[in-house]
Amino acid sequence: MRGIRTQYVLAYAVIGSIGPFLPIYLSREQGLSDPQIGFVVGLSGFAIIVAPIFLTRFADLGVPTRRLLAGSFAIGGAALWGMSHSTGFALVALLFGLHSLAYQPIMSVQDGLFFQGRAAGLSGDTPFHRVRVWGTVGFIIPSLALYFLVERAGSTQAIIVAAVLACALGVANTWRLPPITGVAATSPVGRPVATRAAIRALMAKRIRWFVLAMLLANISNGLWFTFYPLWLTDSVGIGEEWAGIVFNVGVVVEIGWMLAFGALLGLVGFRRLVVLGMAAQVVRLLLLAFVPTVGIALGTQLVHGLVIVTVAVAPQIYLDRRASDEFRASMQGVYATAVLGGGRMTGSLLAGQLAGYGDIALFGTGALLALLSAILLLTTESAMPAERPESRE
């Protein structure tokens, strides 16, 4: 289990290195326009659509998960290093797309690794959110260090060095992971078409409306994520080096939300918790749209963790409870493809087109989508049960 925890730390350290600064880097260091920034950031969503379903399928078929993770870290780090030595929209987009194709599947594969390990009895009754919280810790570490590096250098080039270092450590850590292979390889029914089974399960009556609501939620979050760093520097007027610190206000508070996740589920149930997260997203985005101040930048980060557990933790647990062993990993991969990837890509591309019309158009659209997601969850009985899960979740 220690190896899996470290895996989450290093995987999210890559995001913590580039995530808070990427739009700034693309604008300042590479000279890209708003639509081009939206396109490049959206490639990470496209990668989620294309790659995870195949990699998690490999896991289901018996390919050692740690080999998949090692290859993803190695290729992703090499592509980032190449991007830092390149210029021009086409080449930057190509290399960042390669990085995203290699790196983004790590999230769904390691989620599948955890759930498979727990099903095999390797982690006892450890709840998912208590392992996922180590990803939050991993996000914080590089962002704090980069404050000093970016301030001293006067540019955001250092973010690439930090991300490549995290990728290298990620390769090394894969040797500490348990040698788990996909359960489908030893299934008594042979090798079922796990991906098709996962798609059928996601389209079932009691799940499909939940999937649509989460798609809207992820589009909304993509609109926020793509231009929030540039909103901090251009609309609020803070220095580039502060972007990571402001992000980390939300990330530090996110730890509390993660640790309280099980208690919140037990108190209000799945559906009400997700609706609460969407309500927080609506309020946050409306404040960003109409009140671009330092106080709002910091204050709205207090609910960032609630939004994250809504879109990145609760759905995985909900779906795992409805997956069979034959397609457990593939169900996470199909969901990541359709909802996380489709939502992020659509949100980023839409953000690139809306950014030129101002903050109200950009963040107001995101607020509307979050509101529609909440309404769908509240008014569609089959969207998500109001049940309270077992305490271990």
Side-chain angles (χ1 to χ4, degrees):
M1 184 55 67
R2 288 183 179 179
I4 296 178
R5 290 193 185 100
T6 305
Q7 172 68 27
Y8 274 90
V9 170
L10 294 171
Y12 281 88
V14 178
I15 302 176
S17 297
I18 61 177
F21 301 96
L22 180 60
I24 301 173
Y25 170 83
L26 294 174
S27 175
R28 307 289 195 268
E29 314 303 333
Q30 297 291 352
L32 302 190
S33 65
D34 286 346
Q36 289 173 335
I37 292 171
F39 181 87
V40 172
V41 176
L43 288 173
S44 62
F46 176 73
I48 296 176
I49 293 175
V50 174
I53 193 168
F54 297 107
L55 288 183
T56 50
R57 177 59 178 152
F58 291 154
D60 283 334
L61 290 175
V63 179
T65 303
R66 58 187 182 185
R67 290 186 183 177
L68 297 176
L69 292 172
S72 293
F73 271 118
I75 296 171
L80 281 179
W81 186 255
M83 185 181 75
S84 70
H85 292 79
S86 304
T87 58
F89 167 66
L91 191 53
V92 168
L94 176 64
L95 289 169
F96 186 75
L98 178 60
H99 160 76
S100 298
L101 283 171
Y103 176 77
Q104 289 296 338
I106 289 174
M107 301 306 172
S108 57
V109 170
Q110 67 189 13
D111 287 348
L113 176 67
F114 168 79
F115 287 119
Q116 287 177 309
R118 192 169 73 176
L122 299 180
S123 59
D125 275 345
T126 303
F128 175 61
H129 66 279
R130 291 192 177 273
V131 174
R132 169 59 178 80
V133 73
W134 287 97
T136 305
V137 174
F139 186 98
I140 293 171
I141 296 171
S143 294
L144 293 175
L146 284 167
Y147 168 81
F148 300 100
L149 295 175
V150 172
E151 182 185 39
R152 177 172 297 183
S155 76
T156 53
Q157 289 285 2
I159 70 173
I160 304 298
V161 177
V164 170
L165 176 60
C167 286
L169 293 174
V171 172
N173 184 68
T174 59
W175 298 104
R176 301 176 61 227
L177 297 174
I180 293 177
T181 56
V183 293
T186 57
S187 171
V189 296
R191 292 189 174 186
V193 184
T195 298
R196 291 181 183 175
I199 293 173
R200 287 195 298 269
L202 288 170
M203 294 303 294
K205 183 178 179 180
R206 289 188 57 82
I207 299 180
R208 60 186 177 219
W209 292 111
F210 158 72
V211 172
L212 178 58
M214 289 297 95
L215 177 61
L216 293 174
N218 278 275
I219 294 173
S220 172
N221 213 40
L223 283 163
W224 169 82
F225 175 79
T226 304
F227 280 96
Y228 181 70
L230 284 171
W231 176 84
L232 290 173
T233 57
D234 296 349
S235 296
V236 178
I238 68 173
E240 296 175 0
E241 68 275 11
W242 286 98
I245 299 297
V246 174
F247 256 85
N248 273 316
V249 171
V251 175
V252 169
V253 177
E254 180 184 326
I255 295 176
W257 286 106
M258 287 286 181
L259 295 177
F261 178 71
L264 287 171
L265 277 183
L267 181 64
V268 302
F270 273 111
R271 182 185 296 178
R272 292 187 184 92
L273 179 58
V274 176
V275 170
L276 181 62
M278 289 300 93
Q281 177 77 329
V282 171
V283 173
R284 171 169 74 164
L285 292 178
L286 288 177
L287 287 172
L288 297 183
F290 290 99
V291 193
T293 66
V294 173
I296 291 300
L298 294 173
T300 53
Q301 287 295 80
L302 298 179
V303 298
H304 175 70
L306 176 58
V307 177
I308 290 300
V309 299
T310 294
V311 300
V313 179
Q316 281 78 356
I317 293 173
Y318 172 75
L319 294 175
D320 183 68
R321 288 164 59 85
R322 283 151 180 80
S324 71
D325 287 344
E326 285 76 17
F327 58 86
R328 188 173 304 278
S330 279
M331 193 166 187
Q332 297 290 340
V334 171
Y335 177 81
T337 297
V339 177
L340 302 183
R344 179 178 295 185
M345 183 181 70
T346 303
S348 294
L349 292 174
L350 185 58
Q353 300 303 314
L354 291 173
Y357 294 97
D359 296 340
I360 295 176
L362 176 64
F363 295 121
T365 301
L368 177 61
L369 291 170
L371 178 62
L372 291 174
S373 176
I375 291 173
L376 187 61
L377 289 166
L378 286 171
T379 59
T380 309
E381 292 183 2
S382 59
M384 198 175 198
E387 65 189 39
R388 293 174 175 82
E390 295 136 356
S391 60
R392 74 189 185 108
E393 301 293 10

